[in-house]
Every structure is written in C-alpha cells, then in structure tokens.
Amino acid sequence: RTMVLQAIILLITTLADVADKHFAPHYERFMPRLKYLLENAVAEDLKTLRGKAIECITTIGAAAPDKLRPDVQPIMDLLVRILQDSNSGVMDPSDPQISYMISAWPRMASILQQEFVPYLNLVLPMTIAAAELQPEVVVVDSDQAKEQFDEKDGWQFMTLTDQQKFGLKTAGLQEKATACETITSFARELGVGFADHSIQIANVMRPLLKFYFDENVRQSAAECLPLLLSSAKPISEEALLSVWQVFRTDLFAACEHEPDRQVLSSMLCSLSDCVDVLGLVGFNDEIMAVLMEIIFARLKEHFSRHQERLAAKEDQDHDEDADEDLEIERESDEQVLGKITDVLHALFTVHRSSLFPFFDKLVPIFTQMLELGRTVEEHQWALCVFDDTIEFGGPESVRYQQFFLDPMLNYI
C-alpha cells in the first residue's frame, strides 16, 4: 500500500512539474492531503513516503506560488520540525528524507525570497554536509574487485594495470551534486540576503572546482562563485574583496587545468561574470599578468588541438566514422574560444585601454586567427576582440590597426 501511495505521489509531482502554472487549478484538490501526509507520516518506515510528499508539495507550490502563500508558514513549520525532531537537529546521513529536503529548499526559497533568509541557519548545515561528502575510493587487485565489491552497492571500477583496478563508490554523488545546485540556487535567489554566508560557502565551493569525480559538481561550484560576489557587493567593497580572495586562486587554477571542455566553458563563464561584478577592484598588475598567461596557454592549446584534428583526418588509418567525434570536439573548442573572448570582453569593458599592456601578449594569436585558411569561428571571435579594443580603448586602439584593419575590410 505504501509503495502504491509513493507511486501516486510521484505521478502527481511529475504532472505538476510538467504542467507548471497550468496545474494551479488542482492545488486545492491535492495540497490538504499532502500536508496531512507530511504531518502524520512519522513512522520510521514511512520516511521515504514523507520525503516524496515534501517533493510533491514544493513542486506544486512552485507551479502555483500564489495559492501556496497561505500554506507557506505551516509547511515551513512542519519542515523545520522534521529537522528539529532529529538528534540534536542533525539528521542521520542515511535518512531518505534528506535528499528530498535538499531538493525542496530552492523551490521554497524562490517562492519566499528574502522571507527564506531566517531559515538558512537551519537548512544550510545539512546541505553543506551533503556538498562536502567525499566518495569512497579504493585501489585493489583485480580479484579483490570481483570478490569484495559489488556493483549493486554502487561500486564502479576502471582498470589501472593488468593487476590493479581503481574503484569509486558512486552512492552519494547525486546527492552531492544536488546539494551544490541547491546552494547555488540560494545565492541566486536570495542575493544580499545570502551575504552573511558568502565567505563560508566560498570555502565550501572552491575545492569542488577540482572535484573530478563529477562534472556537475564542478559546474555548480563555478556558477556559484560570481553569485557569492554579487551577494557581498552591496555590503561593502571590503566584503566583496574578502569573498574574491577566498576563491580567486582556485578559479584561476581551474581555468588553467580543467580537462573537460564543457566544464572549462563553465569555468570561463564564471570568471567573466566575476569580472563584471568586481568592476575596477580585485585586479592588480600581478593578478592581471597571471590571468593573461592562463588565457595565452589556452589559446595556444586551441591551435594545438586544431592541428591534431587535421592530422587525424589525414591519417591513412582514419575511420570516417570518427569524423563525427572530431566535429563534436571542434565545436567544443570553438565554444571554449567564445568563452575566452567573453572574459576579454568583460575585462575591456571594465579596464578599457589600461588592459592594453597585458593584452599585447595575446595579439599575435588573435592576429593569426584572422589569417586566410582559419575557421569562420576563429575569424569571428578575433574580430570581436579587436572590436572591443576599438570600442573600449578609443583612440589608443590605433596601435592595433596594422593587425586588424585589412582583415576587417576584407571580411565585410
């Protein structure tokens, strides 16, 4: 009977999620029953049912926020009671309600906005604990992998050598990624209301930029960082710089070393957003020089990867079926190139012609991109960069006209 009820609640949740605002007329039909479950399904064997009720209530609430308003306080009181009824206010990590609650908080935050801020001290500890969860890893011989570790328990193995395997227990990774997304949602929805937690969260997120077991975790961490700056900025310049100093080095390192092209695009997007928020503060000559070295290395890598693809196509053993993979790789590289130019655009917007001494290092590369035979995308992004030198550098941009003027006229 309980499993049937869980399936029904899951169906209602799915319908509310898909129908969104069109589900609002059905609010009164379902919400009283769901609130009854939330309040009365307290037995140990009903925790999963209660968790699904939490998910359903907040999903319907997100679809019908105006109708939820009269019920918000009683629902929040019940959710807080679940937290407070647990041992010392800290829920058992194995409690199935945790994952549902962590997913529910962003929906409630989006509805309550600043009214959600007083609840942060209650909901953040469990969310941070999930975000900081470290997966179990082992290095064992091949026989041990088969005998002692079961895939049903969430273990996945990859071969290191003929005799050794690396094992990762994937249980908990989804909860970790969800917790990171929840924290990012708090920073986005609550703005300055999240400022008191910005330093703490920056310290939680910065090591996750190199959590190579899950790209979703790294992307959420990257997305969160400029939002933390935005929350601190209205407080004071000192508060803004304090947050920036916590994670700047880690974000630079992530932009330099991230191996996944999709995630690298997220890192670069985070960096350009940080520049937008910081404005004229947060960058001295030393920091700017380090950043230009990172961009220079990534641009050189772009050319190297382009040459490797050309060589792969000319190889006698080249499989035509591999063309699709090469095209996907090319598109990923062009996306990264676009994000690099976004970073430069943000820098030019703020620092204008004072960026020129640092940008000079990159000029030969963008000039090369304008040559005949380079890709259309390379022409496009290089022209965008030189256009920024004109728009934001004014008369001083004449120093670059020998590099861009003829190609710009030729490509009209």
Side-chain angles (χ1 to χ4, degrees):
R1 182 178 177 181
T2 301
M3 292 184 68
V4 172
L5 191 53
Q6 289 178 18
I8 292 172
I9 293 174
L10 177 59
L11 175 60
I12 297 169
T13 303
T14 304
L15 289 172
D17 186 42
V18 173
D20 196 28
K21 63 182 181 181
H22 299 293
F23 195 84
H26 306 285
Y27 180 92
E28 290 81 3
R29 182 176 184 182
F30 294 109
M31 189 59 71
R33 295 167 175 82
L34 290 164
K35 285 170 58 183
Y36 178 85
L37 281 176
L38 182 61
E39 188 169 8
N40 294 283
V42 295
E44 191 71 23
D45 61 342
L46 295 178
K47 285 186 174 181
T48 298
L49 175 64
R50 198 184 202 185
K52 289 185 179 296
I54 292 170
E55 179 183 37
C56 192
I57 287 169
T58 54
T59 302
I60 292 175
D66 292 339
K67 292 198 172 188
L68 182 71
R69 267 289 167 184
D71 290 322
V72 161
Q73 195 58 54
I75 290 170
M76 288 302 299
D77 289 344
L78 286 169
L79 294 176
V80 168
R81 191 191 309 168
I82 295 173
L83 287 173
Q84 294 176 335
D85 286 348
S86 58
N87 184 29
S88 302
V90 179
M91 298 180 74
D92 185 331
S94 63
D95 191 323
Q97 296 173 107
I98 288 180
S99 61
Y100 294 105
M101 293 188 77
I102 290 175
S103 297
W105 297 132
R107 292 189 281 270
M108 297 305 291
S110 68
I111 296 167
L112 291 171
Q113 294 292 307
Q114 296 304 307
E115 294 175 47
F116 189 83
V117 172
Y119 296 103
L120 285 173
N121 288 330
L122 277 171
V123 306
L124 272 178
M126 66 183 298
T127 310
I128 290 172
E132 292 182 327
L133 177 71
Q134 294 299 317
E136 293 184 53
V137 295
V138 294
V139 177
V140 295
D141 63 45
S142 299
D143 292 335
Q144 280 182 297
K146 293 179 181 178
E147 295 170 1
Q148 299 180 17
F149 301 92
D150 195 331
E151 290 185 2
K152 294 180 181 178
D153 295 328
W155 284 98
Q156 293 184 4
F157 284 89
M158 62 178 292
T159 301
L160 297 177
T161 67
D162 290 341
Q163 300 297 323
Q164 283 191 321
K165 289 194 172 185
F166 172 82
L168 169 68
K169 192 171 186 179
T170 58
L173 285 182
Q174 181 58 53
E175 286 79 3
K176 183 182 183 78
T178 300
C180 291
E181 291 168 5
T182 292
I183 292 171
T184 299
S185 178
F186 287 160
R188 183 188 307 108
E189 296 290 343
L190 302 178
V192 69
F194 202 63
D196 289 345
H197 307 276
S198 56
I199 292 287
Q200 178 190 17
I201 297 304
N203 278 298
V204 170
M205 289 300 191
R206 66 181 184 84
L208 299 182
L209 293 170
K210 54 183 180 182
F211 187 78
Y212 295 116
F213 297 119
D214 192 308
E215 63 272 15
N216 293 320
V217 170
R218 303 200 302 283
Q219 287 180 309
S220 288
E223 182 183 355
C224 187
L225 298 179
L227 297 172
L228 296 177
L229 293 178
S230 294
S231 70
K233 188 173 183 176
I235 303 301
S236 67
E237 182 177 303
E238 181 182 1
L240 173 66
L241 289 174
S242 295
V243 178
W244 173 237
Q245 288 164 4
V246 168
F247 67 77
R248 184 197 71 233
T249 301
D250 298 272
L251 180 57
F252 279 16
C255 290
E256 183 177 8
H257 300 297
E258 173 58 50
D260 185 283
R261 312 305 286 178
Q262 190 67 40
V263 180
L264 175 57
S265 293
S266 297
M267 300 294 181
L268 292 166
C269 184
S270 173
L271 179 56
S272 62
D273 288 345
C274 287
V275 173
D276 286 337
V277 178
L278 287 163
L280 287 170
V281 303
F283 284 88
N284 55 31
D285 288 357
E286 181 182 356
I287 294 172
M288 192 68 78
V290 170
L291 177 55
M292 288 300 156
E293 287 291 344
I294 293 170
I295 293 175
F296 179 79
R298 283 299 188 181
L299 290 172
K300 295 290 286 185
E301 180 188 44
H302 172 84
F303 279 93
S304 298
R305 289 170 64 87
H306 177 73
Q307 289 302 122
E308 288 171 4
R309 284 194 295 274
L310 292 179
K313 288 183 177 181
E314 294 173 1
D315 193 304
Q316 292 182 350
D317 298 326
H318 176 66
D319 184 351
E320 291 185 2
D321 292 337
D323 283 343
E324 184 175 345
D325 292 336
L326 291 175
E327 178 61 20
I328 292 173
E329 183 181 302
R330 185 195 67 79
E331 290 175 357
S332 296
D333 282 356
E334 298 298 348
Q335 182 181 33
V336 169
L337 180 59
K339 296 302 179 183
I340 289 174
T341 62
D342 286 346
V343 174
L344 291 171
H345 175 77
L347 290 168
F348 274 123
T349 301
V350 173
H351 298 278
R352 311 183 82 83
S353 61
S354 64
L355 186 67
F356 285 170
F358 304 98
F359 175 68
D360 286 346
K361 183 178 182 64
L362 309 180
V363 170
I365 295 182
F366 285 109
T367 301
Q368 188 177 349
M369 287 185 189
L370 291 175
E371 294 175 354
L372 294 173
R374 303 306 304 184
T375 67
V376 172
E377 290 82 5
E378 287 173 331
H379 290 165
Q380 171 191 341
W381 294 124
L383 287 172
C384 284
V385 170
F386 282 118
D387 177 68
D388 283 339
T389 67
I390 299 170
E391 180 178 356
F392 301 108
E396 293 180 57
S397 64
V398 71
R399 65 198 283 178
Y400 300 122
Q401 70 172 358
Q402 60 181 310
F403 304 113
F404 67 74
L405 188 55
D406 286 343
M408 191 174 286
L409 293 173
N410 291 334
Y411 294 140
I412 292 177

